[in-house]
């Protein structure tokens, strides 16, 4: 992955070139207010099922969002995996595209993620582009290893 940072500040937008990846996870249609409960249920269930089918996570947890309607989304919560490209057990395979993308990395609690989304919205506006139909969050540091002030979340929007 190559990066060109626009600045070191929290929520700074950077451009990336990403390889294609596959995320194995649980997919549901979830209202924004129900996301914490879905994550709490999905992440351990996906980890268990991956272990049962012999797949190893190749990175931190990821949530892939698409089809937003009235603050509800189709969400796949899971882990990137290497060498797996099809559904396994009750898990679905979500293909993340290769190519150019923009991202914002947020340091702090999930409740302040709207700051990073606002930075991305400004970037899209400044470049006269529409945000993509699909995007994802990568949970680089989360509740299992840090206090809320130390959470690190990267929001990624492919540029098609």
């Amino acid at each position: 992955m190559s990066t060109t940072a626009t600045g070191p500040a929290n929520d700074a937008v950077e451009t990336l070139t990403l390889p294609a990846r596959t995320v194995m996870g649980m997919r549901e249609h979830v209202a924004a207010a129900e996301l914490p409960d879905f994550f709490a249920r999905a992440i351990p269930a996906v980890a268990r099922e991956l272990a049962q089918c012999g797949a190893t996570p190749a990175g931190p947890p990821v949530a892939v969002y698409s089809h937003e309607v009235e603050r509800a989304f189709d969400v796949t919560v899971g882990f990137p995996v290497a060498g797996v490209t099809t559904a396994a057990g009750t898990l679905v395979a979500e293909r993340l595209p290769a190519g150019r993308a923009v991202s914002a990395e947020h340091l702090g609690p999930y409740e302040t993620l709207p700051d990073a989304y606002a930075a991305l919205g400004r970037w899209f506006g400044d470049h006269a582009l529409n945000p993509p139909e699909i995007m994802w969050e990568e949970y680089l540091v989360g509740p299992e290893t840090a206090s809320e002030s130390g959470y690190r979340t990267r929001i990624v929007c492919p540029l098609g």
Side-chain angles (χ1 to χ4, degrees):
M1 165 172 49
S2 66
T3 66
T4 305
T6 59
N10 193 33
D11 303 329
V13 176
E14 64 182 358
T15 58
L16 310 167
T17 301
L18 299 172
R21 295 183 295 158
T22 300
V23 171
M24 296 295 294
M26 290 176 59
R27 180 182 299 144
E28 291 185 12
H29 189 77
V30 182
E34 297 168 2
L35 286 171
D37 291 338
F38 178 53
F39 280 59
R41 180 171 44 87
I43 290 173
V46 171
R48 277 191 307 275
E49 192 155 348
L50 285 175
Q52 289 171 352
C53 67
T56 303
V62 175
V64 182
Y65 297 88
S66 60
H67 306 106
E68 179 183 3
V69 177
E70 297 181 9
R71 303 244 336 122
F73 316 84
D74 289 340
V75 183
T76 301
V77 172
F79 295 88
V81 293
V84 179
T85 58
T86 60
T90 63
L91 303 180
V92 298
E94 183 83 53
R95 188 87 168 138
L96 303 182
R100 289 187 54 231
V102 294
S103 74
E105 191 169 311
H106 182 74
L107 178 64
Y110 299 137
E111 292 80 21
T112 59
L113 273 175
D115 297 342
Y117 279 98
L120 284 165
R122 285 189 300 276
W123 187 94
F124 278 100
D126 291 348
H127 291 83
L129 295 171
N130 291 321
E133 293 291 320
I134 185 172
M135 53 76 53
W136 58 92
E137 295 175 351
E138 300 172 350
Y139 305 101
L140 306 174
V141 177
E144 66 287 346
T145 58
S147 67
E148 284 189 356
S149 64
Y151 292 0
R152 279 186 33 229
T153 306
R154 179 183 303 133
I155 302 166
V156 181
C157 299
L159 294 174

